[in-house]
């Protein structure tokens, strides 16, 4: 194989001298290759696209310079699989593919190629056109060799494919990034160009009002989108993004207090309501509720901005405005994490891997944030390890993550890949317990999930180790089940996350768990640890990079020419489907593009919160809730010249809470429950319906113990009683007098009250 000499076309005549006729033919095709490569390199955006008021490109966006190379009509120069890319065709890329194929024919049939090149040199026809035309007419002569060569996964083919995909993805990201950000902001009220009538700070899922109707704000979607906006803002200060974040904060403070079919703020139950009207009113229709991922995801998004405020000297603002909202969401998470709820697809009422992981992260990050603003979260510290312990139960011995505990699905769900990328901590390495993107479990799961969806028409020819269009799960029937833009982007993002960590630590470890994933990409790999100086490390990095880019390239292939991203694209034709301009799709693209560029979010503390307790416990802590009233931010919250380190907290915070455990011994019958009701809001203000339920996890005939733990502010004094609630809803109060208790004021962490029914 002759080396490419594209670096200097003036050397062509010297390079040809003294070579055999076959070598001259190869060099001629190399020259065409260089010209096509330069055309491909020029096939890029020359300036940032102008967007109209609707977020669509206004006027021509690409300045393409044609080199004169052309293909005869009817010659298909697209790489396999043979799909038509209307939205993002690149002339240079097509010709590079065709030239590569011609080079393969040259290598397999010297006489045929030499004759064609000789004639083409003397012809007035474009050399590539002449060659391609004669190639088509002569396939009967060299067809067998042509097909055999194209089928070989040789290094040249792999390198060419990688280069072509990289150039395509580079171009797509440069084109799509400003469009995606503009379209994302267009879906946020009240000034968003597509959401007239939405309240300020409301993140609308999609402007689509029918077939399907997504004209709502989902707590989950809004939090994930805002987390992306916060990441963009903290990486590069921008007042537009800051105003968007602050409007979202004010909107969420109001939404927390809106009573709804899931409940109210008084006991936190209303925080799990999945969606609201765009004017911040409750949605009262039938829906899959509660959805318990909303509160922890919102806490994570708000903490991201709160941490920026603290590090830039605005700790008081973070404490007065951000912390009260976050505190409610953390209290909800600590209290209800062990209750089942509907998953992120709103279809399965069970324990969800995604929800559990979000809950763990929120409590870990929430505890640290509380300390940074001079507060504390005792419940966070007590419950987070138990959630992480439970999270391990989603791992299957079959080598993948079971996303939901139901018996009518395989559990192979993009839920688990989304979990990995939203749990990503660049400082946690390839930690297994938190399922970091480069952990062996997460990689093994990535393979299983992607492979489970290769049966769709758009994935024809996309075998294991090649990027594929990805949807929610293989059994999906929503719109007949299709790939989703955000799911395909998530598959790419996990790999970019893994690449970042491998490069940072300078090594890659292949275990028996992850071996199948790696062997799809580098067949010769075996278990072991490979340092950055090894050829295997380099081979893996290159292969995973190309693999990740392949998922982006699929999204590019099925993105319309205006850059709009819907929810889904058809599993056979690739046409956009379902809700148009899905806000989550735009956020997913921007997040994946940032990770590809090596831009990662700050650590959330996973490395110091990945230890498992000796045994799992289904413990919870009942919280107290209060309306967040401060929502007006001071002006000019600009970055500090240097990072501000908040003073270390000494002693306990003024709002320190003690975890008070109530143990009540009372004999009950099947169907009865026990509650503690008292004179403070945390105990229902003497309203039995709002009292705190006790658990019978430790109950036995010889030890009829009911128990619960409640986070109460230090120094709180109150009166209380226990009640037994019958299956028909009737209530029996224990006898007088009222019981009394005062929470300690000496920064105690826990306290226990032991009572017996009277």
């Amino acid at each position: 194989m002759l080396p490419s000499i594209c670096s200097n076309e003036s050397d062509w005549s010297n390079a040809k001298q003294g070579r055999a006729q076959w070598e001259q033919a190869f060099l001629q095709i190399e020259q065409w290759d260089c010209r096509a490569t330069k055309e491909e390199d020029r096939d890029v955006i020359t300036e940032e696209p102008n967007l109209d008021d609707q977020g669509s490109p206004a006027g021509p966006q690409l300045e393409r310079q044609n080199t004169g190379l052309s293909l005869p009509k009817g010659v298909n120069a697209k790489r396999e699989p043979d799909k038509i890319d209307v939205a993002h065709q690149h002339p240079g890329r097509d010709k590079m593919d065709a030239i590569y194929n011609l080079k393969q024919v040259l290598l397999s049939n010297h006489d045929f190629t030499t004759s064609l090149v000789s004639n083409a040199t003397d012809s007035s026809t474009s050399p590539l056109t002449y060659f391609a035309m004669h190639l088509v007419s002569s396939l009967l002569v060299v067809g067998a060799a042509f097909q055999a060569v194209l089928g070989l996964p040789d290094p040249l083919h792999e390198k060419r494919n990688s280069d072509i995909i990289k150039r395509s993805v580079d171009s797509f990201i440069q084109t799509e990034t400003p469009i995606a950000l503009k379209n994302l902001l267009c879906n946020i009220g009240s000034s968003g160009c597509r959401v007239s009538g939405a309240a300020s700070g409301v993140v609308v899922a999609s402007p689509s009002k029918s077939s399907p109707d997504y004209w709502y704000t989902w707590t989950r979607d809004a939090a994930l989108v805002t987390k992306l906006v916060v990441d963009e803002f903290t990486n590069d200060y921008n007042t537009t993004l800051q105003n968007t974040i602050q409007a979202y904060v004010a909107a969420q403070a109001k939404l927390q207090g809106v009573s709804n079919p899931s409940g109210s703020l008084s006991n936190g139950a209303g925080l799990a309501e999945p969606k609201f009207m765009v004017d911040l009113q409750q949605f009262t229709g039938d829906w899959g509720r509660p959805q318990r991922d909303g509160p922890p995801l919102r806490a994570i998004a708000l903490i991201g901005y709160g941490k920026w405020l603290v590090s830039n000297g605005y700790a008081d603002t973070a404490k007065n405005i951000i912390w009260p909202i976050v505190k409610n969401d953390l209290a909800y998470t600590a209290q209800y994490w062990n209750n089942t709820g509907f998953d992120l697809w709103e279809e399965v009422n069970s324990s969800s891997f995604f929800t559990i992981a979000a809950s763990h992260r929120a409590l870990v990050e929430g505890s640290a944030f509380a300390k940074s603003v001079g507060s504390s979260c005792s419940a966070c510290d007590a419950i987070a390890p138990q959630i992480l312990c439970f999270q391990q139960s989603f791992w299957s011995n079959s080598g993948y993550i079971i996303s939901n505990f139901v018996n009518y699905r395989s559990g192979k769900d993009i839920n688990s890949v989304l979990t990995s990328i939203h749990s990503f901590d660049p400082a946690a390495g390839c930690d297994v317990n938190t399922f970091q993107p480069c952990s062996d479990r997460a990689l093994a799961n990535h393979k299983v999930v992607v492979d489970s969806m290769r049966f769709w028409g758009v994935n024809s020819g996309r075998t294991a180790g090649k990027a594929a269009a990805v949807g929610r799960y293989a059994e999906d029937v929503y719109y007949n089940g299709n790939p989703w833009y955000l799911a395909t982007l998530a598959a790419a993002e996990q790999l970019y996350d893994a690449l970042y960590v491998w490069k940072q630590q300078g090594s890659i470890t292949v275990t028996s768990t992850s071996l199948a994933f790696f062997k799809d990409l580098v067949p010769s790999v075996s278990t072991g640890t490979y340092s950055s100086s090894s050829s295997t490390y380099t081979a893996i990095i290159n292969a995973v990079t190309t693999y990740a880019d392949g998922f982006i390239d699929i999204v590019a292939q099925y993105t319309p020419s205006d850059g709009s991203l819907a929810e889904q694209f058809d599993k056979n034709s690739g046409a956009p489907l379902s809700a148009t301009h899905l806000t989550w799709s735009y956020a997913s693209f921007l997040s994946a593009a940032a990770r590809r560029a090596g831009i990662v979010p700050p650590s959330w503390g996973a490395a110091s919160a990945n230890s498992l307790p000796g045994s799992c416990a289904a413990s919870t802590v009942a919280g107290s809730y209060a309306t967040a009233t401060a929502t007006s931010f001071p002006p000019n919250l600009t970055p500090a010249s240097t990072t501000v380190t908040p003073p270390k907290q000494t002693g306990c915070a003024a709002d320190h809470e003690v975890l008070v455990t109530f143990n009540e011994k009372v004999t009950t019958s099947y169907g009865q429950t026990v509650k503690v009701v008292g004179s403070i809001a945390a105990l229902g203000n003497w309203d039995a319906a709002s009292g705190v339920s006790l658990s019978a996890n430790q109950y036995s005939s010889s030890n009829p113990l009911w128990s619960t733990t409640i986070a109460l502010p230090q120094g709180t004094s109150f009166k209380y009683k226990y009640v037994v609630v019958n299956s028909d809803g009737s209530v029996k109060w224990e006898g007088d007098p009222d019981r009394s208790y005062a929470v300690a004021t000496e920064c105690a962490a826990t306290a226990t009250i032991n009572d017996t029914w009277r």
Side-chain angles (χ1 to χ4, degrees):
M1 181 68 66
L2 296 176
S4 172
I5 54 175
C6 295
S7 58
N8 191 344
E9 286 194 40
S10 67
D11 289 340
W12 277 110
S13 58
N14 293 333
K16 288 184 179 180
Q17 295 176 7
R19 294 178 182 265
Q21 192 174 22
W22 182 86
E23 293 174 322
Q24 292 176 356
F26 188 90
L27 288 170
Q28 180 65 63
I29 296 176
E30 277 282 285
Q31 186 176 19
W32 301 340
D33 194 1
C34 296
R35 293 170 64 189
T37 300
K38 290 183 177 181
E39 178 175 329
E40 164 68 8
D41 289 342
R42 285 196 293 268
D43 185 18
V44 297
I45 296 294
T46 57
E47 61 181 350
E48 233 181 60
N50 297 316
L51 303 178
D52 62 20
D53 291 339
Q54 297 302 308
S56 300
Q61 302 303 315
L62 294 177
E63 182 179 313
R64 288 175 173 156
Q65 304 177 24
N66 199 310
T67 63
L69 293 173
S70 59
L71 289 172
K73 184 177 180 180
V75 174
N76 176 20
K78 299 295 290 181
R79 72 188 192 286
E80 292 296 330
D82 183 15
K83 302 294 181 185
I84 298 176
D85 180 359
V86 176
H88 295 280
Q89 287 182 354
H90 302 302
R93 171 176 169 177
D94 293 349
K95 291 161 190 162
M96 288 168 67
D97 281 352
I99 289 169
Y100 170 73
N101 293 346
L102 302 184
K103 287 163 74 174
Q104 298 304 295
V105 175
L106 176 146
L107 294 173
S108 66
N109 194 307
H110 295 186
D111 294 339
F112 169 73
T113 306
T114 301
S115 173
L116 285 183
V117 173
S118 176
N119 291 331
T121 304
D122 298 330
S123 172
S124 59
T125 305
S126 164
L128 179 56
T129 303
Y130 185 92
F131 193 99
M133 288 191 301
H134 282 272
L135 172 63
V136 174
S137 65
S138 306
L139 284 178
L140 289 177
V141 179
V142 295
F146 181 76
Q147 293 174 15
V149 171
L150 289 184
L152 289 176
D154 57 87
L156 175 61
H157 185 273
E158 295 300 325
K159 180 64 167 62
R160 170 62 75 203
N161 250 1
S162 299
D163 290 346
I164 290 171
I165 291 173
K166 181 181 184 303
R167 288 191 178 98
S168 172
V169 173
D170 286 345
S171 178
F172 174 61
I173 287 178
Q174 187 174 7
T175 308
E176 183 67 13
T177 296
I179 297 173
L181 182 57
K182 178 72 178 289
N183 284 339
L184 182 152
L185 294 175
C186 274
N187 287 356
I188 301 178
S190 60
S191 59
C193 65
R194 290 194 178 89
V195 291
S196 176
S200 176
V202 167
V203 180
V204 181
S206 162
S208 176
K209 296 182 180 180
S210 63
S211 300
D213 182 3
Y214 282 17
W215 187 245
Y216 302 97
T217 181
W218 270 264
T219 304
R220 170 187 50 259
D221 295 36
L224 292 171
V225 169
T226 302
K227 178 60 168 63
L228 176 279
V229 175
V230 170
D231 287 346
E232 293 276 326
F233 166 77
T234 56
N235 180 65
D236 186 10
Y237 177 80
N238 179 299
T239 55
T240 298
L241 297 184
Q242 186 174 45
N243 291 337
T244 300
I245 295 166
Q246 292 179 174
Y248 168 81
V249 173
Q252 297 310 302
K254 181 175 181 178
L255 276 182
Q256 283 191 338
V258 175
S259 295
N260 54 70
S262 292
S264 67
L265 184 62
S266 62
N267 64 352
L271 296 177
E273 178 66 8
K275 69 179 186 180
F276 294 83
M277 309 301 289
V278 299
D279 61 356
L280 298 177
Q281 298 301 308
Q282 65 172 322
F283 168 73
T284 58
D286 291 336
W287 210 253
R289 53 171 66 93
Q291 293 179 24
R292 304 189 193 280
D293 56 354
L297 290 172
R298 177 168 53 201
I300 291 167
L302 293 176
I303 289 169
Y305 185 54
K307 289 164 69 174
W308 182 88
L309 290 171
V310 171
S311 65
N312 285 278
Y314 308 113
D316 286 344
T317 299
K319 181 173 184 177
N320 295 332
I321 300 178
I322 304 296
W323 173 239
I325 308 172
V326 170
K327 184 178 180 180
N328 284 333
D329 285 338
L330 296 179
Y332 177 90
T333 303
Q335 181 170 351
Y336 294 101
W337 74 270
N338 196 40
N339 293 41
T340 59
F342 282 85
D343 70 339
L344 75 166
W345 308 133
E346 309 186 300
E347 298 170 342
V348 175
N349 188 0
S350 73
S351 293
S352 166
F353 183 68
F354 181 82
T355 302
I356 291 299
S359 299
H360 174 251
R361 173 176 175 170
L363 295 186
V364 171
E365 199 167 14
S367 176
F369 177 63
K371 293 180 176 65
S372 74
V373 295
S375 189
S376 63
C377 183
S378 301
C380 296
D381 299 332
I383 300 303
Q386 301 304 330
I387 298 179
L388 184 64
C389 192
F390 180 60
Q391 188 178 349
Q392 310 311 304
S393 62
F394 289 86
W395 176 251
S396 166
N397 291 331
S398 298
Y400 65 93
I401 295 163
I402 302 173
S403 292
N404 297 291
F405 291 147
V406 293
N407 59 11
Y408 51 87
R409 283 191 196 166
S410 66
K412 301 170 186 175
D413 191 317
I414 199 66
N415 166 323
S416 54
V417 176
L418 288 165
T419 299
S420 183
I421 65 175
H422 290 297
S423 298
F424 176 47
D425 186 330
C430 299
D431 179 61
V432 174
N433 290 343
T434 56
F435 293 85
Q436 289 300 303
C438 62
S439 66
D440 58 356
R441 288 180 176 181
L443 293 173
N445 178 75
H446 185 283
K447 169 181 166 55
V448 171
V449 170
V450 173
D451 286 353
S452 71
M453 302 183 213
R454 293 188 183 275
F455 63 92
W456 286 325
V458 290
N459 289 331
S460 176
R462 301 184 189 276
T463 55
K466 297 183 184 299
V470 182
R472 302 191 301 175
Y473 51 90
E475 305 94 335
D476 197 0
V477 295
Y478 183 56
Y479 276 81
N480 295 316
N482 297 286
W484 286 41
Y485 290 99
L486 69 88
T488 306
L489 290 162
E493 184 170 338
Q494 181 184 336
L495 301 178
Y496 293 134
D497 290 345
L499 287 163
Y500 177 87
V501 173
W502 290 333
K503 292 175 182 179
Q504 290 295 307
Q505 65 188 20
S507 66
I508 300 172
T509 297
V510 179
T511 71
S512 58
T513 299
S514 60
L515 181 60
F517 167 86
F518 286 105
K519 287 188 78 67
D520 279 350
L521 305 174
V522 182
S524 62
V525 75
S526 58
T527 57
T529 297
Y530 301 94
S531 69
S532 57
S533 61
S534 68
S535 59
T536 302
Y537 172 94
T538 302
I540 291 174
I541 292 292
N542 292 339
V544 174
T545 300
T546 300
Y547 190 32
D549 279 355
F551 291 101
I552 304 290
D553 200 40
I554 290 170
V555 170
Q557 184 175 352
Y558 298 116
T559 296
S561 57
D562 64 355
S564 61
L565 295 177
E567 180 182 67
Q568 308 172 35
F569 52 99
D570 188 88
K571 59 189 172 187
N572 294 312
S573 69
L577 283 176
S578 187
T580 59
H581 292 292
L582 191 76
T583 318
W584 191 0
S585 291
Y586 291 122
S588 298
F589 167 79
L590 292 168
S591 183
R595 301 299 175 270
R596 183 176 187 264
I599 300 171
V600 298
S603 169
W604 56 268
S608 58
N610 60 356
S611 297
L612 301 176
S615 60
C616 293
S619 54
T620 60
V621 173
S624 56
Y625 304 87
T627 301
T629 56
T631 57
S632 297
F633 286 86
N636 304 318
L637 296 175
T638 56
S641 55
T642 58
T643 300
V644 177
T645 302
K648 288 188 176 182
Q649 183 175 307
T650 57
C652 60
D655 59 351
H656 172 72
E657 292 182 333
V658 179
L659 303 186
V660 180
T661 298
F662 292 79
N663 290 326
E664 167 73 350
K665 288 187 176 182
V666 52
T667 300
T668 54
S669 302
Y670 181 79
Q672 292 181 321
T673 59
V674 178
K675 288 185 174 182
V676 58
V677 186
S679 61
I680 56 177
L683 298 180
N685 287 322
W686 290 120
D687 177 8
S690 300
V692 179
S693 297
L694 279 67
S695 168
N697 284 344
Q698 304 174 65
Y699 186 96
S700 68
S701 58
S702 60
N703 185 36
L705 179 64
W706 290 78
S707 179
T708 191
T709 300
I710 306 174
L712 297 174
Q714 62 179 354
T716 301
S717 297
F718 58 91
K719 293 183 178 182
Y720 68 100
K721 277 186 175 181
Y722 298 98
V723 299
V724 172
V725 182
N726 298 310
S727 57
D728 63 1
S730 60
V731 176
K732 178 182 179 181
W733 291 77
E734 70 171 346
D736 292 330
D738 296 339
R739 302 179 187 272
S740 299
Y741 188 77
V743 182
T745 59
E746 297 84 13
C747 298
T750 61
T752 300
I753 302 173
N754 294 309
D755 293 321
T756 300
W757 181 268
R758 61 190 185 192

